[in-house]
Amino acid sequence: DYSPKRASIKFALLISAVSLMILAMARPQLGTRLKTDQLSGIEVVVALDVSNSMMAQDVEPTRLDKAKLIIFSLCNRLRNDKIALVVFAGNAFLQVPISADNVSISMFLDGINTGMIQAQGTAIADALSVSFNSFTTQKGVKRAIVVITDGEDHQGGINDVVKELKSNNIVVYMLGVGESKGAPLKIGNDYLRDVDGKIVISRLNEQMCKDITNKTNGTYIHVDNSNSAQEQLITELNQIQRTNLEAASYEDYNELFPWLIV
């Protein structure tokens, strides 16, 4: 009763099924289509201090690690807003350009450390200037700058930048990390020492932070070991009126693989 014809048909059907499965896994695509995402939100630039003083442990595990946790929380909770990331020490540069893709910033956070900028110091003026230039050119959008720093050993020259920010209605929120009484900086198994061999104590400069916020209608927020700072920051940012951001338009391919597995 063996039928060579039926065996050939079954084999051909098996080969066809396997071939279609392989093609479906390759995700064939044809043509493109235009998608448009309408966003209603604000633009936020976060400037993160990565100077050596941010390794002090008066905020656990370190000032820098605590700041990174705040930024991570910010990216997760400001879903419809555009965010950019600036890092600074002795100078500043744009780490992640402004966009609504907040996941990108979260991915970069793990790699941020105090060794990524060779020039030491706390160039607040430079950080504010780079942050200001990181916004889009769209008109009518509400904008804010969030600076997370201990403010120690800042290099001055802030007044001119602050005047420009105020004239453009950009609010600055200063998050001061650490304690005014200060803490030593542990490098490896020893503490950082000055030329006289004394242990260096890093202190939070709250007055400088408050001066900037007072001139830009912003808010100073002290960062300690609790979650109160990030909650207050979210509350402050949510009070800013949202406007329609420019639509994110992109081309997407028409997927053909569903036809191969039906």
Side-chain angles (χ1 to χ4, degrees), residues 14-218:
L14 177 63
I15 293 298
S16 299
V18 172
S19 300
L20 290 174
M21 289 179 62
I22 294 174
L23 286 174
M25 293 174 64
R27 288 189 64 184
Q29 299 169 330
L30 177 66
T32 60
R33 66 177 183 269
L34 189 65
K35 283 189 175 181
T36 301
D37 292 339
Q38 293 289 345
L39 300 176
S40 178
I42 60 174
E43 293 183 359
V44 180
V45 178
V46 180
L48 174 60
D49 186 350
V50 295
S51 59
N52 287 335
S53 60
M54 291 291 285
M55 294 305 296
Q57 297 177 339
D58 47 1
V59 176
E60 296 178 349
T62 65
R63 294 175 181 176
L64 180 59
D65 289 329
K66 181 64 175 181
K68 289 160 70 172
L69 288 173
I70 292 175
I71 297 174
F72 182 80
S73 176
L74 192 68
C75 292
N76 286 337
R77 297 173 69 175
L78 298 182
R79 291 292 186 179
N80 293 326
D81 302 305
K82 292 184 177 182
I83 304 179
L85 178 63
V86 171
V87 293
F88 69 96
N91 48 49
F93 67 88
L94 179 63
Q95 178 75 16
V96 181
I98 194 163
S99 74
D101 181 17
N102 300 342
V103 177
S104 299
I105 294 180
S106 300
M107 293 173 58
F108 275 97
L109 286 176
D110 287 338
I112 292 177
N113 56 72
T114 57
M116 61 192 309
I117 297 181
Q118 296 298 320
Q120 283 301 304
T122 308
I124 301 291
D126 196 13
L128 292 174
S129 179
V130 173
S131 298
F132 175 68
N133 292 322
S134 300
F135 291 112
T136 68
T137 57
Q138 182 181 351
K139 295 182 180 180
V141 178
K142 300 294 184 180
R143 298 179 170 92
I145 296 176
V146 177
V147 181
I148 309 178
T149 180
D150 55 23
E152 188 186 46
D153 191 29
H154 73 90
Q155 301 175 4
I158 294 178
N159 290 335
D160 291 339
V161 181
V162 168
K163 288 179 181 178
E164 186 174 17
L165 294 175
K166 187 175 181 179
S167 64
N168 285 275
N169 297 318
I170 296 176
V171 181
V172 179
Y173 298 93
M174 298 292 297
L175 272 64
V177 191
E179 299 295 336
S180 299
K181 63 182 180 181
L185 301 177
K186 195 169 185 179
I187 307 296
N189 295 325
D190 196 7
Y191 291 100
L192 182 66
R193 300 175 184 272
D194 60 19
V195 293
D196 297 324
K198 296 181 179 180
I199 296 178
V200 175
I201 302 297
S202 173
R203 294 178 173 84
L204 168 63
N205 187 349
E206 282 192 309
Q207 189 58 51
M208 183 274 299
C209 295
K210 292 179 180 178
D211 289 342
I212 294 176
T213 56
N214 289 338
K215 295 175 182 177
T216 58
N217 298 320

